[in-house]
Amino acid sequence: MEKTTSEKLKLGIFVIIGLLLFVLAVYLIGNRQNMFVKTFSISANFNNVNGLMQGNNVRYSGINVGTVKTISMVNDSTINVNMVIEEKMVKHIKKDAIATIGTDGLVGNMIVNIIPGKGDAAIISSGDIIKSYTKIGTSEMLNTLNVTNENAALLTAELLEITNSITKGKGTLGMLINDTITANNIKLAINNLKYASIEANKLVRDINSIVTDINIDESVAGVLLNDSIEAQKIKDIISNFDESSKDIKVVLTNLNETISNIKDGEGAFNYLTNDKEFVKNLEESIKNINEGTDKFKQNMEALKHNFLTRSYFRKLERQAKKNMRKEQKND
């Protein structure tokens, strides 16, 4: 059946609209995949891509700059993510940039974030492998939270046990809380410490006042520290004392030698002090002299009373009295 003109027009319009939608879809997909701009590729190695897929966005400082081209396993612990970046962004990305894997929002698609480096590294070039940083995954966070919860439960149980022990008065802390006598003793000790600190502060203030009142400039220490002339005099005195002590030492040494010579030598003193026979003879001689002196006095007294010599002694007495009177007159 031959189609009418209106039907042919509708078919043509439908085909044109379909072609336009197809071209628009191809453009949008191609634009998303950077098919119509110049690109270059860089890559980064991760230990875990956390569900990252080909075609996910790559952002640099929050701006979409490319997409994930390929994800390949390098070895059992390294995954290489190859990224297609718009060529116009080359001048902004440097070799010390760091790639991380994140999410677009709380439950969005996985993306690769490129964080700018902090140094003055060179501009990145096509084929470079930049550093990467793998964030902790959700499962690892849940495992960590699980361990934390278990530790919190154990800690709570131990705290409960400790609290019960304290409530029952067990341990030092329980005794301090429940024993009123110990609490009063501690309170008394604290009061004593407080009183001691007050007295100590008072003592320090008194000492400070005494030290402040001392005129250090007029004191001996101040003169020695500030007056160079007096300090030199003191220095000379000390030097003289030092010289005198040396001289005294020499004199004492000579005196010791002299005493040693007297004691150990063969001089008269040593003979007089150490010869017992000589001392004995000397004592006998002195004794004989004393006895001879007594006998001489007795003989002289006897001669005074003898008639032959009595006149002579009387004459001597008169002459002595005469001389005495003459001296008294002269005085």
Side-chain angles (χ1 to χ4, degrees):
M1 185 177 65
E2 185 178 357
K3 293 183 179 180
T4 61
T5 304
S6 60
E7 290 176 344
K8 292 180 182 178
L9 181 61
K10 290 179 181 178
L11 180 60
I13 293 171
F14 178 77
V15 171
I16 292 171
I17 293 172
L19 289 173
L20 291 174
L21 292 174
F22 177 75
V23 171
L24 180 62
V26 170
Y27 174 77
L28 292 174
I29 296 172
N31 189 37
R32 180 179 177 81
Q33 297 297 324
N34 297 314
M35 296 176 63
F36 305 106
V37 296
K38 293 182 179 179
T39 59
F40 70 101
S41 63
I42 59 175
S43 62
N45 296 325
F46 296 92
N47 296 326
N48 189 344
V49 296
N50 295 322
L52 184 70
M53 300 175 65
Q54 294 181 5
N56 286 143
N57 289 327
V58 176
R59 289 179 179 173
Y60 177 73
S61 298
I63 301 173
N64 290 330
V65 296
T67 57
V68 176
K69 184 177 181 180
T70 58
I71 299 174
S72 59
M73 203 74 186
V74 177
N75 53 42
D76 57 347
S77 60
T78 304
I79 301 171
N80 181 262
V81 176
N82 191 9
M83 297 167 282
V84 177
I85 308 296
E86 296 178 8
E87 192 177 44
K88 63 182 181 180
M89 299 301 297
V90 172
K91 59 183 180 182
H92 301 294
I93 303 175
K94 298 181 179 179
K95 291 183 181 294
D96 58 351
I98 300 174
T100 64
I101 296 176
T103 57
D104 190 7
L106 292 175
V107 291
N109 296 326
M110 304 302 293
I111 60 174
V112 177
N113 285 312
I114 299 177
I115 302 172
K118 296 181 180 179
D120 297 328
I123 301 299
I124 198 169
S125 59
S126 180
D128 284 347
I129 299 176
I130 62 175
K131 295 180 180 178
S132 63
Y133 172 72
T134 303
K135 294 182 179 179
I136 299 174
T138 304
S139 59
E140 294 174 345
M141 293 177 64
L142 292 175
N143 291 332
T144 304
L145 289 175
N146 186 28
V147 174
T148 303
N149 288 332
E150 291 177 355
N151 293 332
L154 294 174
L155 180 61
T156 303
E158 292 178 354
L159 286 175
L160 181 61
E161 184 177 357
I162 293 171
T163 304
N164 291 331
S165 298
I166 293 173
T167 304
K168 295 178 182 176
K170 296 180 179 179
T172 302
L173 186 58
M175 182 189 66
L176 293 175
I177 293 175
N178 298 297
D179 192 342
T180 56
I181 296 174
T182 303
N184 291 329
N185 291 334
I186 293 174
K187 185 177 180 180
L188 181 61
I190 293 173
N191 289 331
N192 291 333
L193 288 174
K194 182 179 179 181
Y195 178 74
S197 64
I198 293 172
E199 293 297 325
N201 290 332
K202 183 180 178 181
L203 179 61
V204 170
R205 286 197 298 271
D206 293 340
I207 293 173
N208 189 25
S209 178
I210 293 171
V211 172
T212 304
D213 294 338
I214 294 175
N215 190 354
I216 189 65
D217 293 333
E218 298 298 333
S219 64
V220 177
V223 171
L224 292 177
L225 292 174
N226 301 319
D227 193 339
S228 59
I229 298 175
E230 296 298 330
Q232 184 61 38
K233 290 181 179 178
I234 296 298
K235 186 177 180 181
D236 294 339
I237 291 171
I238 294 173
S239 179
N240 292 332
F241 275 134
D242 186 40
E243 294 295 334
S244 298
S245 65
K246 292 179 180 178
D247 295 339
I248 291 171
K249 184 177 180 180
V250 173
V251 170
L252 290 175
T253 302
N254 295 332
L255 184 60
N256 287 330
E257 291 179 356
T258 303
I259 292 173
S260 297
N261 291 331
I262 292 172
K263 184 179 179 181
D264 300 331
E266 295 180 355
F269 183 80
N270 188 24
Y271 181 73
L272 292 174
T273 55
N274 297 323
D275 193 338
K276 295 181 179 178
E277 187 65 24
F278 176 77
V279 173
K280 183 178 180 181
N281 294 332
L282 183 61
E283 287 178 354
E284 290 179 355
S285 298
I286 292 172
K287 183 178 178 182
N288 292 330
I289 290 171
N290 290 331
E291 290 177 356
T293 302
D294 292 337
K295 289 180 179 179
F296 178 75
K297 287 181 178 178
Q298 292 176 3
N299 291 330
M300 290 299 293
E301 191 67 26
L303 288 174
K304 286 180 181 179
H305 297 284
N306 191 287
F307 71 96
L308 295 177
T309 58
R310 185 185 305 165
S311 59
Y312 174 73
F313 286 104
R314 286 179 177 175
K315 183 178 179 179
L316 291 177
E317 290 177 356
R318 287 195 298 270
Q319 184 64 35
K321 291 179 179 178
K322 185 176 179 179
N323 293 333
M324 185 179 298
R325 286 195 297 269
K326 189 181 290 184
E327 290 177 355
Q328 289 177 352
K329 288 180 179 180
N330 293 331
D331 296 336

